[in-house]
């Protein structure tokens, strides 16, 4: 997984401070300084990102941390993407901007859009399993985007329903209070449902010239990020959401317009291999399954292509340093700060 921008973690710090938590312990425990946290160009690994969020929840004893962080994020925090959305001519243009450029703010999710005559459905899909931070991360993302859409069109709110793919937490009543719309849990996907007729109304703050300038800046940011991605990263992001069983080496090479031999050579130059990337993808799928599902380990092994569940257990212990059962138990109890 490519390094993650630190944009929104400073909002976690601010929320912990507001709750009078000992933020110095949080920073020191995670090996990060306030200067790094406030540096817009600083990046952290996915494991560090996950640890920072999880330890913030443990420190504050507030599982609803994500909702409060999302509620405090302003449109300016979204950088040039937020500025482009602010100057969009219509909500539809603003949503298209979000879909195209969300990776300039976070590479952990992607946005898909499906339209009917009456509605627009925005689906938020994890690029990789988020594990224990799925709910706080999605809480923050959904509240801040709902708030953003309401700011863009305060007199004609188009958002009419939110579907969430996870069970209702103990603080479930806060969702509707913050988003101002009905929220349904245990749904097939995490989605926003919007009224189609309101999406093409001209926004009060529309400024086509400023929008085009901001959009070009976002394009430049996205090109820079894509240029920094290695072939290994691109393969990982291609394979992770693919249906099981994973595509073969030949099919993957064809997707990237290469022969298997050429793909193998490029990966070898990066000290990687197709087998290594597949193992990494299987590792993350397994962690997500073990932390989010109560299904059997045998079923998981078969889904990942292991005929013998013992071989899967050995592989998982090699990846994680513990057995699948031990990992599942650890996720239940949660890590302590």
């Amino acid at each position: 997984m490519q390094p993650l921008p630190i944009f929104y973690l400073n909002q976690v710090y601010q929320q912990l401070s507001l709750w009078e938590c000992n933020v110095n312990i949080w920073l020191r425990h995670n090996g990060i300084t306030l200067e790094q946290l406030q540096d817009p160009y600083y990046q952290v690994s996915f494991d560090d990102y996950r640890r920072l969020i999880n330890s913030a929840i443990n420190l504050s004893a507030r599982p609803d941390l994500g909702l409060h962080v999302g509620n405090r994020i302003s449109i300016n925090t979204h950088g040039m993407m937020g500025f482009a959305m602010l100057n969009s001519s219509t909500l539809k243009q603003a949503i298209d901007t979000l879909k195209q450029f969300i990776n300039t703010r976070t590479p952990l999710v992607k946005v898909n859009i499906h339209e009917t005559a009456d509605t627009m459905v925005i689906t938020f899909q994890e690029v990789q399993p988020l594990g224990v931070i799925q709910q706080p991360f999605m809480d923050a993302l959904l509240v801040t985007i709902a708030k953003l859409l309401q700011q863009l069109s305060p007199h004609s709110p188009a958002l009419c329903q939110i579907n969430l793919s996870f069970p209702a937490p103990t603080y479930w009543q806060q969702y509707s209070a913050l988003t101002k719309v009905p929220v349904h849990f245990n749904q097939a996907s995490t989605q926003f449902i919007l009224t189609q007729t309101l999406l093409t109304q001209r926004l009060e703050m529309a400024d086509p010239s400023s929008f085009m300038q901001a959009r070009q800046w976002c394009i430049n940011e996205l090109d820079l990020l894509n240029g920094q991605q290695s072939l290994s990263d691109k393969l990982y992001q291609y394979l992770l959401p693919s249906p099981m069983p994973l595509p073969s080496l030949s099919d993957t090479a064809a997707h990237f317009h290469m022969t298997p031999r050429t793909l193998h050579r490029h990966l070898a130059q990066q000290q990687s291999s197709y087998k290594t990337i597949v193992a990494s993808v299987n590792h993350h799928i397994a962690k997500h399954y073990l932390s989010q599902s109560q299904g059997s380990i045998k079923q998981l092994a078969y889904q990942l292509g292991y005929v013998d569940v013992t071989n899967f257990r050995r592989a998982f212990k090699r990846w994680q340093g513990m057995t699948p059962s031990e990992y599942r138990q650890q996720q239940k109890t949660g890590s302590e700060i």
Side-chain angles (χ1 to χ4, degrees), residues 89-141:
S89 296
T90 64
L91 269 182
K92 181 174 174 58
Q93 188 177 61
I95 293 165
D96 287 339
T97 300
L98 173 70
K99 178 181 185 296
Q100 185 175 2
F101 300 115
I102 192 170
N103 278 5
T104 64
R105 309 311 291 173
T106 175
L108 294 179
V109 293
K110 66 178 181 179
V111 174
N112 297 312
I113 296 174
H114 175 71
E115 296 187 65
T116 68
D118 300 320
T119 63
M120 172 187 281
V121 180
I122 307 174
T123 302
F124 299 92
Q125 181 182 348
E126 297 174 35
V127 172
Q128 77 167 59
L130 300 179
V132 294
I133 67 164
Q134 180 200 36
Q135 191 150 325
F137 177 86
M138 296 304 291
D139 282 353
L141 177 73

Side-chain angles (χ1 to χ4, degrees), residues 40-58:
Y41 300 103
Y42 189 72
Q43 296 180 318
V44 295
S45 70
F46 174 69
D47 286 340
D48 287 341
Y49 191 88
R50 180 170 51 188
R51 185 170 60 249
L52 280 157
I53 294 176
N54 200 40
S55 63
I57 292 172
N58 287 324

Side-chain angles (χ1 to χ4, degrees), residues 184-235:
H184 302 277
F185 298 89
N186 279 320
Q187 303 300 300
S189 302
T190 295
Q191 299 172 325
F192 279 4
I193 314 296
L194 294 93
T195 305
Q196 183 71 257
T197 55
L198 299 175
L199 298 179
T200 54
Q201 294 182 4
R202 185 170 178 81
L203 300 179
E204 294 179 4
M205 294 177 284
D207 185 336
S209 177
S210 295
F211 170 79
M212 292 305 298
Q213 292 178 20
R215 185 178 183 278
Q216 185 57 54
W217 191 279
C218 289
I219 290 173
N220 295 340
E221 281 189 85
L222 200 58
D223 287 344
L224 181 61
L225 288 171
N226 289 336
Q228 291 174 344
Q229 272 193 305
S230 67
L231 179 60
S232 296
D233 288 335
K234 292 177 181 178
L235 257 66

